[in-house]
Amino acid sequence: MARTIIRILKNSQEIKEAFPIMKQLRAHLNEASFLQLVQEAVEKEGYQLAALYEDENIVAVTGFMPMITLYNGRSIWVCDLVTDEEKRSKGYGKKLLNFVHLWAKENGFGIVSLSSGLQRGDAHRFYEDKMEYDKFSYVFF
C-alpha cells in the first residue's frame, strides 16, 4: 500500500521538485521563473507551497496564501491545485484541499476560496461535488 504524506515545501530544492507537477497547470512557467515567483510570493504574500507525496514522489501540489478582504475577512486563497495527470481521480486533490482547510483553521482563517478557469469542467465538478464548494462569483481581469 502506498504511503502518502503532505508537507509544506520550504527550500529551493523541494520547490524545484514540485515544478514538473505544477508545470501541468502553469505551462507558461519555466523552472527558473517558477522558483523566483514562489520565493517572492512566500516572502511578500505569505504564500505556502504544499506537496502530497506518494512513496516519496510528489504527485500533487497546491499553493495558497492568506488574504484579508472586506468581502471574506480573514481567508485563504488557493492559487494553485494540480495532481499529476497520471494520478488523477485517486483522492489526492481532496486530501490537499483538506490539508489547506485544516491549515486555515489552525491559523485563524475562516474561509478557503479559489477560482477556476471556465474551461475546467472536471475541476468544477470536483470542487462542487467532492469538496462541496459553492459558486459565488466570477473573477475578472
Side-chain angles (χ1 to χ4, degrees):
M1 185 162 133
R3 185 174 77 94
T4 62
I5 61 165
I6 298 172
R7 70 172 189 251
I8 302 284
L9 306 180
K10 298 287 187 186
N11 62 52
S12 297
Q13 184 57 40
E14 290 175 338
I15 294 167
K16 285 180 184 179
E17 289 170 4
F19 177 69
I21 305 301
M22 185 65 80
K23 182 139 180 86
Q24 293 176 30
L25 178 65
R26 307 289 181 220
H28 64 285
L29 296 175
N30 61 41
E31 186 179 86
S33 62
F34 169 70
L35 181 61
Q36 179 184 5
L37 286 169
V38 169
Q39 290 172 331
E40 185 175 355
V42 166
E43 180 183 312
K44 294 181 179 177
E45 304 292 338
Y47 180 86
Q48 303 286 322
L49 185 64
L52 187 147
Y53 292 78
E54 179 185 69
D55 294 330
E56 300 182 30
N57 296 308
I58 296 175
V59 297
V61 178
T62 188
F64 60 96
M65 63 185 187
M67 293 181 68
I68 300 173
T69 64
L70 298 179
Y71 179 73
N72 280 338
R74 292 176 48 82
S75 64
I76 295 297
W77 184 257
V78 177
C79 308
D80 317 286
L81 177 66
V82 60
T83 298
D84 184 353
E85 58 194 4
E86 308 259 329
K87 302 279 186 173
R88 292 189 182 148
S89 298
K90 294 185 177 186
Y92 299 133
K94 185 172 185 173
K95 286 180 182 180
L96 272 176
L97 276 180
N98 285 338
F99 173 85
V100 172
H101 280 266
L102 180 61
W103 190 97
K105 183 178 179 182
E106 290 174 349
N107 289 279
F109 296 92
I111 295 173
V112 175
S113 57
L114 55 86
S115 68
S116 180
L118 294 173
Q119 76 284 5
R120 298 188 45 134
D122 289 341
H124 302 165
R125 281 187 292 283
F126 165 71
Y127 297 131
E128 291 175 312
D129 298 345
K130 303 279 189 215
M131 297 304 301
E132 300 180 357
Y133 280 35
D134 294 316
K135 283 187 224 174
F136 281 97
S137 68
Y138 288 100
V139 176
F140 295 94
F141 59 94

